[in-house]
Amino acid sequence: SQKIEQNSEALNIQEGKTATLTCNYTNYSPAYLQWYRQDPGRGPVFLLLIRENEKEKRKERLKVTFDTTLKQSLFHITASQPADSATYLCALDTQGGKLIFGQGTELSVKP
Amino acid sequence: SAVISQKPSRDICQRGTSLTIQCQVDSQVTMMFWYRQQPGQSLTLIATANQGSEATYESGFVIDKFPISRPNLTFSTLTVSNMSPEDSSIYLCSVGGWSSTDTQYFGPGTRLTVL
């Protein structure tokens, strides 16, 4: 069955550094992959979508890569800020618009 | 984008009772999804609700336990029936699959605690 794995341990970094989060998947070839941010007590908020024919996508301080050979996506936040502290989820598409989510990685940016 | 509201935002319920969660969207959408997020876990899709047809349930979820209504293109309800403490979770509705972005937008969630 389809499986998605993200860094299980929380990621703690210093303000100003680049945070890199990993999303690996198996037994599937998604047409696209998405990254979401979730704050405590809130629903996920969409950040970026990258399609299978795209290697990299950027949005302001965010960068996502998608390696369909390695079956991996990397999510980077450059010049990180304490306000970036949250849980980040990756999600893969399945048929009919349904998404399968990873368990999320908790990021903490210290001032 | 879409603005989604859910009611209630949280509730504490007794074992054996049922709770109906409402999801309202500020625009008409074809597909609505209901997810569950158990403590410390990721989101798990419960069912897909299309207006005018029966909801489609994922493996492990059944209509008797999680009946869903979709009376129009802006509204849906999810009922958690005959609740047990294992049903304690956050329940989220989402909409998406529109235009060319394929993104999904989520409601704020309903935090359910079953005693």
Side-chain angles (χ1 to χ4, degrees), chain A residues 54-89:
Chain A
E54 298 174 316
K55 296 290 186 186
E56 180 180 299
K57 203 148 191 186
R58 293 175 184 263
K59 179 182 177 182
E60 298 172 352
R61 294 185 295 111
L62 308 180
K63 184 179 85 171
V64 172
T65 64
F66 194 8
D67 188 326
T68 55
T69 301
L70 292 178
K71 294 187 181 295
Q72 180 181 79
S73 175
L74 298 179
F75 177 79
H76 306 272
I77 305 176
T78 59
S80 59
Q81 305 166 0
D84 296 325
S85 299
T87 296
Y88 291 86
L89 306 167

Side-chain angles (χ1 to χ4, degrees), chain B residues 83-99:
Chain B
M83 289 184 285
S84 67
E86 291 71 34
D87 294 320
S88 297
S89 187
I90 298 173
Y91 292 86
L92 300 118
C93 68
S94 77
V95 302
W98 55 11
S99 78

Side-chain angles (χ1 to χ4, degrees), chain A residues 34 38 49 51 96-98 102, chain B residues 31 37 42 100-102 104:
Chain A
Q34 301 183 20
Q38 187 173 25
L49 178 152
R51 301 187 186 278
K98 296 183 292 186
Chain B
M31 300 170 72
Q37 188 172 28
S42 188
S100 61
T101 62
D102 296 318
Q104 285 194 355

Side-chain angles (χ1 to χ4, degrees), chain A residues 22 28 62 64 93 96-97 100 106 111:
Chain A
T22 305
Y28 192 58
L62 308 180
V64 172
D93 76 293
I100 298 176
E106 184 178 350

